[in-house]
Amino acid sequence: MQYYLNTTPKIIRHFAKDFIWSLPQETPSVFLTFDDGPIPFVTPKVLEILNSFNAKATFFCVGENVKKHPDIFHELKLNNHELGNHTYNHLNGWKTLRQAYLSNVELAKNYIPSKLFRPPYGKITPLQSKSLKNDYKIIMWDILSGDFDPNVDPEKCANNVIDNAVNGSIIVFHDNIKHADTMLAALPIILDKLSRKGYQFKTISEGL
């Protein structure tokens, strides 16, 4: 059983002020983010759905996947979505020595030219973040969609986002094979409902 919180508690955000958790805007906006791609079928399908709603998103890509699927990565750029670094091998920072972690981020940088970074699993040590924060904006989130949870169906996934979204919310999805069915079914529902509520869908840099 996986334990996680759909919304990030304010106390955590208060004590981790070096990280970006949300981006409130003058007009109601949310920031859709997708971790772990690019992946065949899944990432192109996400692009189709986003384009049908004229929505922009930020994709935190794994360097190894960019190397394997440069054509899909190129499609992300052509569609004017934003790109972020998610390490080269999807490393857990809590289980990786600082220099090895930094080297892995640097390796990913060869494939992902971006000043945005998201640590896989949200797990990064104070020393790792201190070393990265001069070169990167470290982007976390205030809403987890729960698409990675096998006990969450598309309706629940959609409601996790719709019920908790506020102006400036940074929302996490995953464009990988393991979570594709739930995420791809929930995403159009989320886009439709939040659009009707008057939200715009922006990239992280637009919010910054």
Side-chain angles (χ1 to χ4, degrees):
M1 181 176 179
Q2 301 187 63
Y3 178 76
Y4 60 95
L5 298 171
N6 288 121
T7 58
T8 306
K10 290 182 179 179
I11 190 70
I12 292 177
R13 296 161 64 179
H14 176 77
F15 284 106
K17 291 181 178 178
D18 284 341
F19 304 154
I20 295 170
W21 298 93
S22 65
L23 291 165
Q25 305 290 295
E26 290 185 5
T27 57
S29 306
V30 293
F31 301 85
L32 308 179
T33 66
F34 295 84
D35 291 1
D36 303 351
I39 296 293
F41 175 75
V42 183
T43 306
K45 189 64 179 176
V46 170
L47 281 176
E48 286 181 23
I49 296 170
L50 292 174
N51 288 344
S52 70
F53 285 88
N54 195 28
K56 296 303 176 189
T58 302
F59 290 78
F60 287 93
C61 298
V62 173
E64 187 175 38
N65 288 336
V66 175
K67 183 179 180 181
K68 290 177 181 176
H69 311 295
D71 52 333
I72 304 174
F73 187 70
H74 186 60
E75 282 297 309
L76 293 174
K77 292 191 287 186
L78 282 180
N79 283 271
N80 295 315
H81 295 290
E82 187 156 35
L83 308 167
N85 187 322
H86 201 46
T87 74
Y88 185 79
N89 296 115
H90 203 262
L91 292 187
N92 183 332
W94 294 359
K95 297 180 179 180
T96 309
L97 294 175
R98 183 181 71 92
Q99 192 53 54
Y101 192 80
L102 298 178
S103 296
N104 202 268
V105 173
E106 189 68 17
L107 179 59
K109 181 182 174 182
N110 293 330
Y111 300 92
I112 308 156
S114 174
K115 293 296 185 180
L116 304 181
F117 176 75
R118 172 174 286 161
Y121 315 103
K123 295 179 178 179
I124 186 170
T125 68
L127 284 176
Q128 290 163 355
S129 64
K130 183 178 180 181
S131 297
L132 290 171
K133 69 179 184 179
N134 289 332
D135 295 319
Y136 293 93
K137 299 285 188 184
I138 300 178
I139 310 298
M140 302 301 260
W141 60 82
D142 63 334
I143 297 177
L144 281 174
S145 67
D147 60 358
F148 54 86
D149 186 341
N151 296 310
V152 170
D153 62 20
E155 181 180 8
K156 172 62 175 167
C157 179
N159 288 337
N160 285 342
V161 175
I162 295 162
D163 294 345
N164 292 300
V166 296
N167 180 26
S169 283
I170 298 175
I171 304 162
V172 178
F173 301 94
H174 296 83
D175 57 329
N176 59 33
I177 291 294
K178 189 163 55 172
H179 313 307
D181 290 345
T182 297
M183 182 273 293
L184 291 174
L187 184 59
I189 300 170
I190 293 164
L191 287 162
D192 179 62
K193 291 288 180 68
L194 293 184
S195 293
R196 292 175 187 273
K197 288 186 175 185
Y199 284 100
Q200 298 178 38
F201 305 98
K202 296 181 178 180
T203 66
I204 295 294
S205 286
E206 287 177 307
L208 292 169

